[in-house]
Amino acid sequence: MEVVRLLMIRRSFLLLLLLPVLGAAGTLLQTYIVQLHPHEGGSEAVSASGSRLGWHRSFLERSVAWEQEKRPSSRLLYSYHTVFDGFAAQLADAEAAALRALPGVASVRADRRVELHTTYSYRFLGLNFCPAGAWARSGYGRGTIVGVLDTGVWPESPSFDDRGMPPVPVRWTGVCQGGERFNVSNCNRKLIGARFYSKGHRANYPTNPSEAVSLLEYVSPRDAHGHGTHTASTAAGAAVAGASVLGAGAGEARGVAPGAHVAAYKVCWFNGCYSSDILAGMDDAVRDGVDVLSLSLGGFPIPLFEDSIAIGSFRATARGVSVVCAAGNNGPARSSVANEAPWVLTVGAATLDRRFPAYVRLGNGRVLYGESMFPGEIGLKKGGKELELVYAVGGTRESEYCLKGALDKAAVAGKMVVCDRGITGRADKGEAVKEAGGAAMILANTEVNRQEDSIDVHVLPATLVGYKEAVELKKYISSARRPVARIVFGGTRIGRARAPAVALFSARGPSLTNPSVLKPDVIAPGVNIIAAWPGNLGPSGLEGDARRSNFSVLSGTSMAAPHVSGIAALIRSAHPSWSPAMVRSAIMTSADITDRQGKAIMDGDGGRADVFAMGAGHVNPARAVDPGLVYDIQPGDYVTHLCTLGYTHMEIFKITHTGVNCSALLQKNRGFSLNYPSIAVAFKNGAKSAVLRRTVTNVGTPNSAYTVQVAAPPGVKVSVAPTTLSFAEFGEQRSFRVTVEAPSPPAAKDCAEGYLVWKQSGGQGKHVVRSPIAVAWVVE
């Protein structure tokens, strides 16, 4: 009976998602986010209405007609009042237009959907039990709270065990929200809070009832997809001995900040994440008392005044919350980086030096390198059964990509099928081959994927080969009378590959909306990351996968962001009074620009990684908790920065909820430049020089001095004054001026890069504070 009841709940929830939302006279409704102007009668209106919620409802009463016996306020989905002033509601186009015309309404915009962009990674980051290390200096992140906005959490995972955890911080005001298969007993001293937000998703989901929908969704904070469980445990998961993915990648799993508390905010469902739900989650999280907000979601770059994540994170930052966001997976395209707001910490993805080799031994004796996490039997490590190779059976594009139903069962039965990447998920292709009777699969990168090697826990013997190997493989198939191959699984290998390197898919700069700030800020492990996994899903993430594992492997900037969220938690624990800007500065200026072999970090598309791929470099937690100097930024400085970019009064209000006169502000702050830890200069319309001012705060030892070292970008002259900074006391500030001169851009280039370093001098010279320099020439 309980199973039947749960299925009925799920079906009811999904039917709500599938039903068209109609207003009066059958008018189709959609969700709008309405921003209000509190300085235009807002306080009086709130008092007259009795509450902020009543004030929000009053706008609907004035713009929406009654529907039979339903009040217009029944259209309200969310009432925001912490990171955003306004509400979300279901409206017809005409009603949205009527709202825009009301006094006190700043903007009305349609809801927007965004996408969801470990046993070893903590060791790769240098986190260990050394008394002088980041864990020891920060108490493993104890006392900090990491809020994760994602697909929810699987509370029974051993990564959320609270043994050894301190009590819940007294400042915490969050809740453990009940729902399907989730109640207050699922929270503990590790997982201290959980909420879910589905109103925006229900209102926005397409109305086609024939579209196939999974019933494996929980109307509660419980995670049905794995992404949220994976990211939360990466940031702050507890220690779990003997962790592995069905035997692969075995070791002890730990989050980056294993002593920190976790709060889960489920804002993403089977069809993505909607801005109205995300804003509601951020609104609650900041009010609940989180120290760090981790968002592994986003999309393509859009103007800041239209970006709900940028808007919500501004107020979160102003309230002292560090916001960490994924850069996105749209690389290596230029200017593809998302979550570009200068008040968030934007994270790209990098590789580890851990590999899972699965070689393809061809019938002609050639061996092609591939990777896989198929947990094959021991015999497969010596070489599986030799099988006949087939590719594009039927000669259709659908069969090349191994789409479900496109494979001729008679042609693939008992054979090793080659499938091109693209259109469907990598693991889905393996399932399609298995369902068609294939015995094994080789997943072949296309030219777009190049040598990128994100692996999966496939449901049949399978391996992924790079584009170069794929070309050779297909040439062999087309030329051999009876092409055959076998897959040889090589287990887990550590330390044999150069790493870190920027992942091919990691989004790149320069920023489209704000080229004067270098994005992404840093890179962190994001390829083949092993972390916690829900108990309702097989490790492949496929519904038909009956295997179960407490851990699985995922790749993406979604995996990189929670690594940095964990580092931010460590820094907040070690330095609780630091602002979000100081935390970000510590992470950026301490980052590495060389790999584990001491060579330049490489790019996933070949060659040396530039600053638009890796930002300041690869995170280094041990140095980040003790950076020596930091660049601080006050919330008001961001407002001035937006004025320098030419944003209008209303655009700045939409972002910051602050009314501003840019002319007066810029007159007062002549020569203003944002005190960002990196230096980005965009020369426009023939400009040849720029002067920037920076201020650093001493968070290291008193009576210390730093000397500047500059490596100017090619063709660019960079001078710094003064060249030495002396600090008598802890917390003391010193300013310097950077002059960048470029008579003309380098031949055939529109950008160049270098760096500026403040190096501690004397016997205490352990601190090196590094800032990348990016110079771009822009023609408008």
Side-chain angles (χ1 to χ4, degrees):
M1 287 297 293
E2 179 64 14
V3 173
V4 173
R5 188 188 70 81
L6 291 176
L7 284 173
M8 289 178 66
I9 291 173
R10 291 184 188 177
R11 288 182 185 275
S12 298
F13 174 70
L14 292 166
L15 283 172
L16 279 171
L17 295 177
L18 293 170
L19 288 173
V21 183
L22 302 176
T27 307
L28 187 65
L29 304 180
Q30 64 174 314
T31 302
Y32 286 87
I33 298 174
V34 182
Q35 186 175 16
L36 302 178
H37 203 312
H39 303 297
E40 294 184 10
S43 299
E44 295 176 8
V46 170
S47 299
S49 304
S51 69
R52 192 167 295 271
L53 176 60
W55 181 43
H56 293 168
R57 286 174 172 165
S58 71
F59 284 89
L60 293 175
E61 299 287 347
R62 285 181 280 163
S63 58
V64 177
W66 279 67
E67 299 173 20
Q68 297 175 357
E69 296 185 2
K70 283 188 176 181
R71 295 181 65 90
S73 57
S74 66
R75 301 270 200 86
L76 186 74
L77 298 179
Y78 293 112
S79 176
Y80 311 115
H81 53 273
T82 302
V83 301
F84 188 81
D85 278 327
F87 58 91
Q90 293 175 280
L91 303 168
D93 290 344
E95 294 166 344
L99 256 177
R100 288 189 183 96
L102 291 178
V105 175
S107 71
V108 179
R109 64 180 184 276
D111 205 356
R112 172 175 168 263
R113 190 181 76 169
V114 300
E115 302 294 339
L116 292 163
H117 277 337
T118 114
T119 55
Y120 177 66
S121 58
Y122 71 89
R123 282 167 40 203
F124 183 76
L125 290 173
L127 291 167
N128 53 46
F129 301 102
C130 171
W135 273 350
R137 293 175 69 97
S138 67
Y140 299 85
R142 287 173 179 265
T144 57
I145 304 169
V146 180
V148 181
L149 273 69
D150 213 294
T151 64
V153 66
W154 193 265
E156 293 84 5
S157 167
S159 292
F160 305 115
D161 190 299
D162 69 349
R163 281 177 290 185
M165 285 294 296
V168 177
V170 294
R171 70 181 187 282
W172 175 248
T173 60
V175 301
C176 198
Q177 184 180 0
E180 183 183 356
R181 291 194 60 192
F182 204 100
N183 57 49
V184 67
S185 66
N186 289 121
C187 292
N188 56 25
R189 295 191 308 276
K190 165 59 77 174
L191 179 63
I192 63 173
R195 298 178 186 261
F196 71 99
Y197 308 85
S198 61
K199 294 176 183 177
H201 192 277
R202 289 206 307 267
N204 279 288
Y205 190 73
T207 61
N208 180 9
S210 65
E211 185 172 340
V213 177
S214 165
L215 291 179
L216 298 179
E217 187 66 87
Y218 299 101
V219 191
S220 74
R222 184 171 290 278
D223 184 9
H225 305 277
H227 195 275
T229 299
H230 197 280
T231 55
S233 66
T234 299
V240 182
S244 72
V245 183
L246 302 178
E252 183 176 66
R254 284 177 184 264
V256 173
H261 306 280
V262 174
Y265 298 85
K266 184 175 178 178
V267 298
C268 299
W269 302 80
F270 60 81
N271 196 43
C273 328
Y274 283 90
S275 294
S276 53
D277 294 329
I278 295 168
L279 267 178
M282 296 179 78
D283 211 52
D284 280 340
V286 173
R287 193 164 54 251
D288 289 346
V290 303
D291 300 295
V292 179
L293 265 178
S294 187
L295 290 87
S296 290
L297 42 91
F300 288 93
I302 60 173
L304 298 181
F305 54 84
E306 295 180 359
D307 186 345
S308 293
I309 293 176
I311 293 168
S313 62
F314 180 86
R315 274 202 175 177
T317 300
R319 289 173 177 250
V321 177
S322 293
V323 182
V324 181
C325 294
N329 299 331
N330 296 314
R334 182 181 173 90
S335 295
S336 55
V337 63
N339 294 318
E340 310 164 89
W343 44 87
V344 306
L345 209 170
T346 310
V347 187
T351 62
L352 299 170
D353 62 356
R354 177 179 60 189
R355 295 290 185 268
F356 302 92
Y359 307 94
V360 180
R361 184 175 294 159
L362 301 177
N364 62 5
R366 290 281 296 165
V367 177
L368 306 180
Y369 181 78
E371 291 203 44
S372 178
M373 197 178 271
F374 174 74
E377 298 176 1
I378 295 175
L380 288 175
K381 293 184 179 180
K382 299 177 181 179
K385 182 180 178 181
E386 190 172 78
L387 300 170
E388 183 178 350
L389 280 167
V390 293
Y391 172 64
V393 288
T396 65
R397 292 283 289 172
E398 289 81 4
S399 63
E400 290 177 4
Y401 289 103
C402 297
L403 304 186
K404 287 195 175 185
L407 296 173
D408 184 336
K409 292 186 178 182
V412 305
K415 297 175 183 177
M416 186 178 296
V417 184
V418 177
C419 302
D420 286 340
R421 280 184 66 176
I423 301 180
T424 58
R426 299 182 300 266
D428 294 272
K429 297 177 188 294
E431 185 176 53
V433 171
K434 185 177 181 180
E435 289 177 353
M441 176 184 70
I442 300 175
L443 195 55
N445 275 2
T446 62
E447 188 173 6
V448 172
N449 307 118
R450 305 180 197 180
Q451 298 304 112
E452 196 268 320
D453 57 356
S454 299
I455 62 172
D456 300 273
V457 191
H458 290 288
V459 295
L460 81 172
T463 187
L464 167 71
V465 299
Y467 177 61
K468 291 187 294 184
E469 290 79 7
V471 171
E472 182 175 346
L473 172 66
K474 292 173 185 177
K475 184 177 180 181
Y476 166 68
I477 293 173
S478 64
S479 62
R481 184 178 62 84
R482 183 178 179 272
V484 294
R486 69 178 74 216
I487 299 176
V488 182
F489 293 93
T492 304
R493 299 189 179 181
I494 292 175
R496 300 189 187 183
R498 280 189 65 177
V502 179
L504 179 70
F505 57 76
S506 188
R508 315 300 165 98
S511 168
L512 271 181
T513 63
N514 190 3
S516 60
V517 171
L518 180 62
K519 291 286 182 174
D521 291 309
V522 290
I523 54 174
V527 178
N528 301 332
I529 304 301
I530 295 175
W533 197 246
N536 69 315
L537 275 180
S540 68
L542 300 170
E543 287 184 27
D545 187 355
R547 302 169 299 174
R548 292 294 180 263
S549 172
N550 284 328
F551 296 87
S552 192
V553 63
L554 292 176
S555 296
T557 55
S558 283
M559 284 61 255
H563 280 91
V564 179
S565 299
I567 296 172
L570 296 178
I571 297 171
R572 290 295 294 264
S573 184
H575 309 285
S577 64
W578 282 14
S579 70
M582 296 169 77
V583 172
R584 179 182 56 216
S585 173
I587 292 171
M588 291 177 63
T589 61
S590 62
D592 294 325
I593 58 168
T594 56
D595 62 21
R596 293 298 181 266
Q597 297 179 14
K599 301 176 182 178
I601 291 176
M602 302 299 287
D603 200 330
D605 65 352
R608 181 173 176 169
D610 63 20
V611 293
F612 298 117
M614 68 175 183
H618 191 273
V619 291
N620 183 325
R623 292 180 55 199
V625 296
D626 183 21
L629 304 175
V630 292
Y631 295 82
D632 196 10
I633 301 174
Q634 300 302 315
D637 296 335
Y638 294 119
V639 177
T640 307
H641 174 68
L642 294 174
C643 285
T644 67
L645 298 179
Y647 278 56
T648 67
H649 163 81
M650 184 52 66
E651 288 169 347
I652 292 176
F653 176 81
K654 290 176 183 179
I655 299 167
T656 67
H657 304 266
T658 302
V660 62
N661 183 328
C662 279
S663 297
L665 192 60
L666 294 178
Q667 181 74 21
K668 181 181 178 181
N669 295 275
R670 287 182 176 275
F672 174 86
S673 55
L674 189 66
N675 198 39
Y676 214 75
S678 57
I679 296 172
V681 178
F683 287 127
K684 298 180 181 180
N685 302 323
K688 296 182 178 180
S689 66
V691 179
L692 301 91
R693 180 184 173 88
R694 292 290 191 271
T695 300
V696 289
T697 303
N698 179 30
V699 293
T701 54
N703 301 313
S704 58
Y706 290 78
T707 302
V708 74
Q709 296 178 355
V710 176
V716 178
K717 180 182 177 181
V718 178
S719 57
V720 179
T723 57
T724 301
L725 300 176
S726 298
F727 300 89
E729 299 177 358
F730 178 89
E732 196 171 0
Q733 293 186 331
R734 289 286 181 267
S735 297
F736 61 95
R737 185 176 65 254
V738 181
T739 302
V740 182
E741 299 174 284
S744 60
K749 286 191 174 182
D750 60 0
C751 59
E753 63 180 85
Y755 63 83
L756 179 156
V757 171
W758 289 104
K759 188 172 183 179
Q760 193 172 7
S761 37
Q764 298 176 327
K766 66 175 182 176
H767 292 121
V768 176
V769 185
R770 185 182 182 280
S771 295
I773 300 174
V775 178
W777 288 264
V778 181
V779 179
E780 293 184 331

